[in-house]
Amino acid sequence: MTKTLSTVARIAVVDDHGIVRFGYSQLINQEPDMKVCGMASSEQEGHTLLTKESPELAIIDLSLKEGNGLDLIQSITKTLPQLKILVISAHDESLYAHRVLAAGARGYINKEEAPEKLIEGIHALLQGDFFFSESVTKTLIRGRLGSVKPAVVQGLESLTNRELQVFEQIGNGHSTREIADTLFLSVKTIERHKENIKSKLHIDHATQLVRHATQWVMKRGY
C-alpha cells in the first residue's frame, strides 16, 4: 500500500486577543489543506511556539500582550528564514506595510477586512506570493524598482520602528516607566526616543506630544 504524503499546511497564530485567536483557528481549520498547530499571545510565547513547531506559516499581529510583532518577525526570521509570515493587524497598512516587509513578513491584512481575506492571504503566501492591498502593492513595487524617487520622509513615516512603538505607547496613556518596562528598555532610552520623536514631528512640548499621540491612537481605534 502506497503512503500518501500530507499536504496540510501547519499554521501558527500569534495574537494578543483570545477571541481573535479562536476565530482565526475556526476559519483555518475548516479548510482541508491547512490546520492550526499552535497559538500564542506574546512575543516570547510566539518565539517559543514558532521555534518548537516550525510551521509553514505564521499569522502575527503587530500589537502583542508583551512585546511587539515587528520585533518577533525580525527575530524569528533569523531562526526560521523559510517561515512565511502574514501580518493581520488593526494598524494602518500604508504606514506599516514597508516596515513588516523589511522585517521579513510577506503579507498584510487589516483586521477590518472580510474573513475570506484571511484564507486568500494564507493561500497566496503558501504558493510563494506576497499579499498586500492593491494600492500598497503598487507603492512597494514602484519603490523597489526605483521608478519613483523617494521623497523626503515626513510625519510618522520618518519614525523608526522603535520610535513608532514608543509613540503608540504614549498615545495609549502609558508613562515613561511603563513604556520602558513594556519594551524592556531603560527610562533614559525612552526619554531619548521621545526627544527624537518630538524633533521629527516638529513638536515642542511633552503635552503636545501626548495630545498628538492620543489623537492618532484614537483615530485608528487601537
Side-chain angles (χ1 to χ4, degrees):
M1 182 177 178
T2 303
K3 184 178 179 180
T4 303
L5 295 176
S6 173
T7 58
V8 177
R10 299 167 67 253
I11 299 170
V13 178
V14 185
D15 192 286
D16 61 336
H17 293 95
I19 292 178
V20 173
R21 294 194 301 273
F22 177 77
Y24 291 164
S25 68
Q26 291 295 298
L27 285 170
I28 292 169
N29 289 332
Q30 288 177 2
E31 299 296 313
D33 58 346
M34 60 183 73
K35 69 174 182 180
V36 172
C37 64
M39 296 186 286
S41 62
S42 69
E43 181 182 341
Q44 183 57 55
E45 287 179 1
H47 197 282
T48 300
L49 169 67
L50 297 175
T51 302
K52 177 183 177 182
E53 295 293 336
S54 190
E56 283 75 35
L57 184 145
I59 294 171
I60 300 178
D61 191 2
L62 294 180
S63 297
L64 300 177
K65 185 174 294 184
E66 296 175 3
N68 181 272
L70 274 174
D71 290 340
L72 173 58
I73 294 169
Q74 290 175 326
S75 63
I76 199 61
T77 49
K78 295 177 182 177
T79 306
L80 301 172
Q82 78 284 0
L83 177 65
K84 296 176 174 64
I85 299 175
L86 176 63
V87 171
I88 303 184
S89 181
H91 292 272
D92 187 348
E93 182 188 15
S94 63
L95 181 60
Y96 277 91
H98 69 285
R99 295 174 188 264
V100 303
L101 185 62
R106 298 176 64 89
Y108 194 110
I109 297 175
N110 191 285
K111 284 187 174 181
E112 294 183 359
E113 292 282 0
E116 53 265 26
K117 279 288 184 180
L118 169 63
I119 304 303
E120 185 182 345
I122 292 174
H123 277 137
L125 266 63
L126 290 176
Q127 292 168 7
D129 296 328
F130 291 85
F131 194 82
F132 293 91
S133 68
E134 183 177 354
S135 60
V136 169
T137 297
K138 290 180 179 178
T139 301
L140 291 173
I141 291 175
R142 286 199 302 269
R144 281 177 167 261
L145 294 178
S147 59
V148 292
K149 294 182 178 180
V152 176
V153 181
Q154 298 178 346
L156 296 179
E157 291 187 357
S158 68
L159 304 183
T160 65
N161 290 339
R162 184 64 76 188
E163 289 165 356
L164 193 58
Q165 291 173 24
V166 172
F167 187 72
E168 181 179 342
Q169 292 287 320
I170 294 171
N172 282 321
H174 297 155
S175 67
T176 299
R177 167 55 65 184
E178 290 171 335
I179 297 173
D181 291 342
T182 298
L183 299 181
F184 303 101
L185 298 172
S186 68
V187 169
K188 185 176 181 180
T189 298
I190 299 302
E191 291 290 359
R192 185 168 64 249
H193 284 315
K194 283 186 173 182
E195 290 304 313
N196 290 339
I197 293 169
K198 287 195 295 182
S199 176
K200 290 180 179 181
L201 299 184
H202 306 292
I203 294 173
D204 297 323
H205 305 292
T207 53
Q208 290 178 323
L209 175 60
V210 172
R211 183 168 64 251
H212 193 138
T214 302
Q215 290 174 346
W216 181 67
V217 167
M218 292 179 63
K219 181 179 179 181
R220 286 158 177 78
Y222 298 162

